Amino acid sequence: MQARHIVMLSLGGVIGTGLFLSSGYTIQQAGPFGAILSYLVGAVAVYLVMLCLGELSVHMPETGAFHSYAAKYIGPATGYTVAWLYWLTWTVALGSEFTAAGLLMQRWFPSVNVWIWSALFAALIFVLNARSVRFFAESEFWFSSVKVVTIVLFIVIGAGAMFGIVPMAASEPAPLFSNITSAGWFPNGAFAILLTMLAVNFAFSGTELIGIAAGESVNPEKTIPKAIRTTLFRLVIFFIGTIVVLSALLPMSEAGVTESPFVTVMERVGVPYAADVMNFVILTAILSAANSGLYASSRMLWSLADKKTISPMFAKLTKQGVPLNAVILSMVGGALALLSSIVAPDTVYIALVSISGLAVVVVWMSISASQFMFRRQYVREGNSVDKLAYRTPWYPFVPIASFLLCLASCIGIAFDPTQRVALYCGIPFIALCYGSYYAFYRVKK
């Protein structure tokens, strides 16, 4: 992969349902101003984590990087657990992506069950990943390009509607920033910001795909820092700019997850067929995120097998260099889409987002801790920090601050009944991973 592939792979993973669908949940829970604040805090957290990841992935570029760093600098059991957590992140995310795609299709085909569309889209994404890495990277580049252009157009049209340059439907007056504070600064209290942080972190998850792709990139010492810089710059513009426009044009009472807030906003703006076009583009964007997700989860399984911590069958490659067995097992996570779309898709979707969000936040915490431990060991061995091709700035403040910000979002969900299921699923899963690791090595010994 080249720099353009890695940048778009990261953008493809991060710009998905977290922005296009669950942003409505954040506005509904925290209020418009609270949602903007939540995404700002999330942007800071992901920026700090990426600074940590940059140093690690440039110094040690390899496919499935996170668990290798955690295994080396925290402990082998932690590395094993991190790998499975990241696999869980994306297999569960596949379920939410396919469910969201099915929900969007309801706009045009209300009589067709959501799960049917979920199954069709799952088959499409599997085929894209089962081909060569180059084919996957090129398809993801164009997938991501479509949604990047769409978000730019949405921000431009939305900003025009805010200030009266673009007319609103039904001759509504330009709202300016009135919606942002119409229900109060914090209609559900300032604590609601903490409750929504996990959904926000889920929206930003995917940025760390840069580290996953490092082992399959050209000149990682140049492409990885460039990818981190350009990706973060674009994410801040896309996410913060988008949330400001959504908050200004979407009343809190109309926000939710049964329909994309983007589509709702376009219906309020007097642009012909804008809502249908936006629905189609969001569908493309969600499939792009699923494409990236299946890539990430299968490479993590391949890395585990390559390290001989799971069956070697998952390390086998096709002639095109694709770990097909790992792709197949990861695709099983898509069954969650069928389950969630049959059983109350609007409520189960948030549960899936929360479980995936918790898993990725724990992975981010491991990245921060790994960088902190790596730098200490690197200096203790007599090496000069100046020799690092890419250095995390403001050490040790950056890894400590990023770790604490991620920890705060994990604590917040304990107070939200809708998202608390993530703790009920996540904590036993982590315990199971540690237990299975020690059992495996005891048997092996």
Side-chain angles (χ1 to χ4, degrees):
M1 293 192 206
Q2 299 172 2
R4 68 184 181 93
H5 292 135
I6 295 176
V7 170
M8 284 302 181
L9 173 62
S10 180
L11 285 172
V14 74
I15 300 176
T17 58
L19 179 62
F20 286 124
L21 202 61
S22 63
S23 54
Y25 169 81
T26 307
I27 294 172
Q28 183 188 66
Q29 296 297 311
F33 180 75
I36 295 171
L37 205 55
S38 294
Y39 275 88
L40 278 170
V41 174
V44 171
V46 76
Y47 176 64
L48 296 179
V49 171
M50 289 306 104
L51 288 177
C52 295
L53 179 60
E55 180 172 302
L56 292 168
S57 57
V58 170
H59 187 69
M60 298 166 285
E62 60 174 281
T63 303
F66 314 134
H67 80 96
S68 299
Y69 307 149
K72 189 171 183 178
Y73 299 108
I74 303 176
T78 302
Y80 178 82
T81 302
V82 164
W84 279 112
L85 273 172
Y86 198 67
W87 179 83
L88 178 71
T89 294
W90 280 110
T91 49
V92 172
L94 281 175
S96 66
E97 306 290 358
F98 294 141
T99 301
L103 286 169
L104 291 176
M105 292 301 289
Q106 291 286 290
R107 178 180 179 85
W108 298 312
F109 305 98
S111 60
V112 180
N113 286 332
V114 172
W115 72 267
I116 294 176
W117 293 115
S118 298
L120 289 173
F121 291 135
L124 171 64
I125 295 304
F126 176 80
V127 170
L128 289 177
N129 269 266
R131 300 288 296 274
S132 67
V133 174
R134 178 77 182 191
F135 180 81
F136 159 79
E138 206 62 43
S139 65
E140 187 54 35
F141 176 82
W142 293 108
F143 259 149
S144 297
S145 298
V146 169
K147 59 187 174 186
V148 166
V149 170
T150 302
I151 288 180
V152 171
L153 290 175
F154 175 81
I155 293 173
V156 171
I157 294 172
M162 285 169 58
F163 295 101
I165 300 171
V166 177
M168 298 288 288
S171 301
E172 293 180 47
L176 297 175
F177 296 98
S178 59
N179 271 337
I180 294 178
T181 56
S182 60
W185 292 98
F186 303 105
N188 294 326
F191 190 68
I193 295 174
L194 185 61
L195 301 184
T196 60
M197 280 310 302
L198 202 66
V200 169
N201 285 331
F202 171 75
F204 280 109
S205 66
T207 322
E208 72 289 329
L209 281 169
I210 291 170
I212 289 283
E216 296 181 81
S217 64
V218 180
N219 297 324
E221 68 279 357
K222 294 182 180 179
T223 57
I224 299 300
K226 181 181 178 182
I228 288 174
R229 284 194 302 270
T230 55
T231 300
L232 288 168
F233 175 71
R234 294 176 192 186
L235 287 180
V236 169
I237 292 176
F238 295 157
F239 273 78
I240 305 305
T242 299
I243 291 300
V244 169
V245 170
L246 284 175
S247 299
L249 295 176
L250 183 65
M252 183 178 170
S253 58
E254 296 183 27
V257 297
T258 53
E259 184 178 55
S260 169
F262 285 71
V263 175
T264 307
V265 165
M266 285 294 100
E267 286 179 334
R268 295 172 62 88
V269 176
V271 178
Y273 305 108
D276 286 311
V277 172
M278 182 59 69
N279 202 59
F280 173 77
V281 172
I282 293 172
L283 181 64
T284 305
I286 285 172
L287 295 179
S288 164
N291 201 27
S292 297
L294 186 55
Y295 169 84
S297 56
S298 61
R299 275 12 179 223
M300 193 57 74
L301 275 184
W302 174 87
S303 184
L304 278 169
D306 188 56
K307 295 275 191 295
K308 297 180 173 56
T309 51
I310 61 172
S311 172
M313 66 179 289
F314 296 110
K316 291 181 179 178
L317 302 176
T318 64
K319 292 180 180 179
Q320 291 76 31
V322 176
L324 188 59
N325 291 332
V327 172
I328 292 171
L329 181 60
S330 299
M331 197 65 218
V332 171
L336 286 168
L338 305 183
L339 173 65
S340 63
S341 57
I342 293 170
V343 185
D346 54 339
T347 53
V348 178
Y349 170 76
I350 291 298
L352 290 178
V353 165
S354 302
I355 294 169
S356 184
L358 177 66
V360 80
V361 165
V362 173
V363 171
W364 287 356
M365 291 166 68
S366 78
I367 292 172
S368 302
S370 297
Q371 192 275 328
F372 180 82
M373 303 296 287
F374 160 72
R375 179 74 73 87
R376 286 181 60 188
Q377 181 175 322
Y378 188 77
V379 172
R380 195 163 52 236
E381 290 172 350
N383 298 303
S384 172
V385 177
D386 294 333
K387 291 183 179 179
L388 290 170
Y390 181 89
R391 296 188 299 276
T392 301
W394 311 307
Y395 179 89
F397 168 77
V398 167
I400 293 173
S402 60
F403 186 91
L404 293 177
L405 282 172
C406 292
L407 181 62
S409 65
C410 293
I411 295 171
I413 63 168
F415 301 94
D416 185 355
T418 311
Q419 300 184 86
R420 201 177 293 151
V421 65
L423 292 177
Y424 299 151
C425 297
I427 292 175
F429 184 82
I430 292 172
L432 177 65
C433 288
Y434 273 100
S436 63
Y437 174 83
Y438 288 117
F440 170 76
Y441 272 94
R442 181 169 293 180
V443 169
K444 188 176 180 181
K445 198 171 182 179

